Amino acid sequence: MRHALKLTGLAVATAAIVGACTHAGAPDEAAPVMTINEAMLNVFQPDFQNYGDTAFWAYDDNGELDGSLLTEEQWTLMGEGAVALRDTALLLAVSEHFMVAAPGVDLGFEGNGFVPPEQVQANIDDNPDGFRAMMEAFAAEADLAVTAVETRDAALLVAQSDNLYNTCKGCHMAFWYPGQR
């Protein structure tokens, strides 16, 4: 049931983003329905965690990789997560306009060297093609994660967990907290 609700929510979000991307009005009239922050909170973070955390159950007590240790439920969870990550990144990659967060939304990490949402928005507005390229790269990595699940390739599964994390971090370093290490 949880997965059905999540997939239904993803379908609604997908329709909303696609609708925003194909808005017939002038460019300044077209506005995304789902913000990047909402995509991060509702798709990227939970689905990456489901994928990455579950992938490491493929190690036995001796630290050896053994995909047979994963249950069908775990493979399914990782597969659903990888598809959601890929599809959401692809939607963002083709978006004409980006909104980091709704006005007044606190991203929860301002200060301590991190920039406020207005600055993140400016960073993306200054380089929208760079942001799209990051989303395309993330979608490509997520697609390999889908392949890892479909082929039950434990080595690729674990490698893609690292690759997805590093791709996330690259985008964060470029747009969300540039200058941080």
Side-chain angles (χ1 to χ4, degrees):
M1 178 70 167
R2 181 177 149 260
H3 295 297
L5 290 174
K6 187 173 196 175
L7 291 175
T8 300
L10 180 60
V12 169
T14 299
I17 291 174
V18 170
C21 295
T22 59
H23 188 278
D28 59 339
E29 294 176 18
V33 176
M34 176 189 263
T35 68
I36 296 169
N37 188 53
E38 290 167 340
M40 288 174 61
L41 292 174
N42 298 322
V43 179
F44 290 118
Q45 192 280 327
D47 285 308
F48 172 74
Q49 189 150 3
N50 286 341
Y51 182 90
D53 288 356
T54 305
F56 288 98
W57 286 100
Y59 285 100
D60 67 17
D61 292 338
N62 297 317
E64 299 295 321
L65 198 54
D66 180 359
S68 70
L69 296 173
L70 295 170
T71 67
E72 191 60 34
E73 183 178 80
Q74 289 172 315
W75 284 109
T76 298
L77 179 68
M78 290 182 294
E80 290 171 351
V83 167
L85 292 169
R86 178 195 63 203
D87 292 353
T88 302
L90 286 172
L91 287 171
L92 288 170
V94 300
S95 292
E96 288 295 318
H97 305 283
F98 304 106
M99 181 184 292
V100 170
V105 169
D106 178 9
L107 300 180
F109 56 73
E110 290 85 3
N112 300 319
F114 300 111
V115 298
E118 298 81 14
Q119 182 60 52
V120 178
Q121 184 72 56
N123 295 341
I124 292 173
D125 289 347
D126 286 346
N127 188 6
D129 290 335
F131 183 77
R132 286 185 194 95
M134 291 278 193
M135 291 297 98
E136 289 171 1
F138 189 84
E141 294 297 345
D143 194 52
L144 287 172
V146 171
T147 298
V149 171
E150 289 173 345
T151 60
R152 300 299 197 255
D153 184 336
L156 182 59
L157 182 81
V158 171
Q160 286 315 109
S161 178
D162 290 340
N163 292 339
L164 287 167
Y165 173 79
N166 289 328
T167 305
C168 282
K169 186 175 180 182
C171 187
H172 287 201
M173 297 305 287
F175 297 102
W176 292 82
Y177 36 87
Q180 298 291 314
R181 289 185 181 235

